[in-house]
Amino acid sequence: MKKHPRALLTGVVVLLAVSAVAVYLVKDEASVRKRTSVPPPGPVHVETTQVRQQKWGTQLEAVGTVQSFSGVTLRSQIGGRVTAVNAVSGASVEAGQPLFVINPEVLKAELEQRKAQLKISQFDAERMKTLYSKRQISLQQTTAANSQYEADLAAVQTTQQKLELATTYAPFDGIVGLTRVEVGDEVGINQELATLESSERLRVEFSIPQQYAFLVTPRNEVTLSAEQSPAATVTAKVYAVDPMINPDTRTANIRAELPAHSFFPGSYVNVVLTLDDVANTITVPQTAIQRSLYGDSVYQVIDGKAVLTHVTLGERRGGDIAILDGLDAGATVVSAGLRKLSDGVPVKGSPTTAPKTATPVAAGAAGGAENAD
C-alpha cells in the first residue's frame, strides 16, 4: 500500500520538533549545573566611618562691606584755580604731605594788606591810650581805636587761616585714590579732589536679624570670603555691636576688624558668623548621603551587611552634614562606594581617616566653620 505524501511530511516535522526540544532541555540542564557550581559572591569592599557628635552653634550668613578705619574724601576748602597737584593716583603718601594747592597768591597779597592795616590800627590804639591817660581824649575814642585794632587783628588771622586752607595736606599715611582735578582747573568750595585710604587697619560691617544680636560678643570671630575666591577665607574679630536696632530692617549692625591689606576698602564680602548657642549635633560626611525620589538615606553597616536607613538632613558645614533624625552617634555608615550597594548586601569596610574633632564654638571657633563677626 502506497503512503500519502502529506502524512510523510507531517511525520518529518514532528520528528524535528521532538529533536529540538530534546536539545534545549539538555543545554538548560547543563547551564543549571554550571550556575549551581559557582560559589556565591563575597562582600562588597567599601569605606566606612562612624557617626560623630559635634558641638555646633547657629551660623548666620550675610554680605558685608569692607571699610578703612582711616579713609577720607579730600575736598577743597576754598574756591579758586588749582596751581599745584602733588598727589599721584595710587601713590603712597605720608601724613602732612601737601597734595593740592589752590592759588595762594591772592591770599598772600591780601594777608600783607591786612598786616599793614593792623600796624596802623595798633599804632592808633596805643596813641589813643596815651592821650586818654592824659585826659586829652574821651573814653569813647580810645574804645573805638581798640576795637579797630582787634578787628584788624581778626582779619589777619582769618586771612592766614584761608591761606593755610589753600593747601590740602594728607591727614594720615595712606594711598591716594584717583585724582579728580588737574593744574589749571577752577574749583569751588567742598569740591572733591581725591580720596585717601589706609589699608593698615580694615573693618567689615554687616547686619544680622535682631533676635540674634544679644548673642554676639566681642570675642566672636567671623569668616570672610570674596565672591571671586570663595575658598580663600579671612578671619576677623568682632569689636562693636550697634546697641540700636534699625527700625526699618529690624537688623543689628556688627563691625569686625580685619587683618591689614586683606581686602580693598569698599569691596563686599560673604560673611559667616557662628554664634555661641552651642548644641550637640549628629553629623556624617556628605559623601555618605544617598539621594533619591523616596528621600535621603545612608547605608548603615550592621552585622556585616549594608542596611538602608532613611534620615532627615540639617545644615552643612565644610564636608559634614547634620542628621536631625535617623542615626545615633557611634553608628557605622558607608562613606564611599554607595553605588555598589543595595539593602542587605554583605560589606567589608575599611575606615576612613577621621577628621579632627571640632573646637567648641564657645571657645572661639565653630565646628566645621570659623566663628565670625
Side-chain angles (χ1 to χ4, degrees):
M1 178 177 178
K2 187 176 180 180
K3 292 185 179 180
H4 197 279
R6 180 174 293 181
L8 180 62
L9 180 60
T10 303
V12 172
V13 171
V14 172
L15 180 62
L16 291 175
V18 172
S19 299
V21 172
V23 171
Y24 173 77
L25 292 176
V26 170
K27 287 185 176 181
D28 185 63
E29 183 180 358
S31 63
V32 170
R33 287 199 303 268
K34 184 177 180 181
R35 286 199 303 270
T36 56
S37 64
V38 176
V44 178
H45 289 269
V46 294
E47 292 186 5
T48 60
T49 187
Q50 279 195 328
V51 178
R52 295 189 299 153
Q53 180 173 276
Q54 301 189 63
K55 293 185 179 296
W56 282 8
T58 301
Q59 275 194 341
L60 303 177
E61 296 184 358
V63 174
T65 301
V66 178
Q67 303 170 347
S68 172
F69 275 89
S70 301
V72 295
T73 298
L74 302 175
R75 298 182 181 275
S76 57
Q77 302 298 303
I78 63 172
R81 181 172 57 87
V82 178
T83 57
V85 176
N86 302 320
V88 178
S89 299
S92 298
V93 296
E94 297 179 353
Q97 181 175 332
L99 302 180
F100 298 92
V101 180
I102 301 175
N103 194 9
E105 300 304 323
V106 174
L107 291 174
K108 288 180 180 179
E110 183 180 343
L111 179 60
E112 293 302 320
Q113 180 183 5
R114 299 290 188 187
K115 286 182 177 180
Q117 181 63 40
L118 178 62
K119 289 181 179 180
I120 296 174
S121 60
Q122 183 179 10
F123 175 78
D124 288 343
E126 291 176 353
R127 186 171 65 88
M128 290 297 182
K129 183 178 180 181
T130 301
L131 292 176
Y132 178 73
S133 65
K134 296 179 180 181
R135 298 295 188 268
Q136 295 180 357
I137 60 173
S138 66
L139 178 61
Q140 182 179 1
Q141 291 175 299
T142 303
T143 302
N146 285 332
S147 297
Q148 183 61 47
Y149 167 71
E150 292 175 355
D152 290 341
L153 178 60
V156 169
Q157 293 173 343
T158 300
T159 306
Q160 287 177 332
Q161 289 293 325
K162 288 182 178 179
L163 185 58
E164 292 179 3
L165 294 178
T167 303
T168 301
Y169 300 91
F172 49 82
D173 296 346
I175 299 176
V176 179
L178 301 180
T179 57
R180 303 300 181 185
V181 296
E182 301 294 341
V183 174
D185 288 345
E186 289 289 336
V187 298
I189 297 177
N190 205 38
Q191 183 171 333
E192 182 178 347
L193 304 176
T195 57
L196 183 65
E197 297 286 344
S198 173
S199 297
E200 296 300 324
R201 290 192 67 197
L202 297 174
R203 68 189 179 202
V204 61
E205 182 171 329
F206 59 97
S207 301
I208 63 172
Q210 64 176 11
Q211 62 266 33
Y212 299 109
F214 72 96
L215 294 174
V216 182
T217 63
R219 72 168 178 244
N220 283 125
E221 293 181 346
V222 293
T223 301
L224 310 176
S225 62
E227 184 178 13
Q228 62 271 22
S229 54
T233 60
V234 174
T235 301
K237 184 175 287 294
V238 173
Y239 73 89
V241 179
D242 195 338
M244 180 176 178
I245 301 297
N246 188 317
D248 297 325
T249 61
R250 304 302 177 187
T251 58
N253 290 336
I254 311 294
R255 284 183 176 178
E257 186 167 359
L258 297 172
H261 309 290
S262 53
F263 294 99
F264 284 112
S267 59
Y268 82 91
V269 291
N270 298 314
V271 181
V272 178
L273 167 63
T274 304
L275 302 177
D276 290 344
D277 55 342
V278 180
N280 293 325
T281 305
I282 302 298
T283 66
V284 298
Q286 294 192 41
T287 56
I289 303 300
Q290 178 173 267
R291 301 181 181 277
S292 70
L293 296 175
Y294 304 102
D296 302 313
S297 59
V298 299
Y299 279 107
Q300 286 194 78
V301 179
I302 301 176
D303 296 332
K305 293 183 179 181
V307 178
L308 187 65
T309 305
H310 292 281
V311 294
T312 303
L313 303 181
E315 63 177 311
R316 298 168 178 80
R317 295 193 187 178
D320 293 339
I321 187 168
I323 303 297
L324 304 181
D325 186 45
L327 287 177
D328 295 324
T332 301
V333 297
V334 177
S335 58
L338 277 68
R339 292 188 177 183
K340 301 180 290 183
L341 299 181
S342 59
D343 193 23
V345 169
V347 294
K348 183 177 182 181
S350 57
T352 56
T353 304
K356 294 182 179 179
T357 304
T359 305
V361 175
E370 297 177 358
N371 288 353
D373 147 9

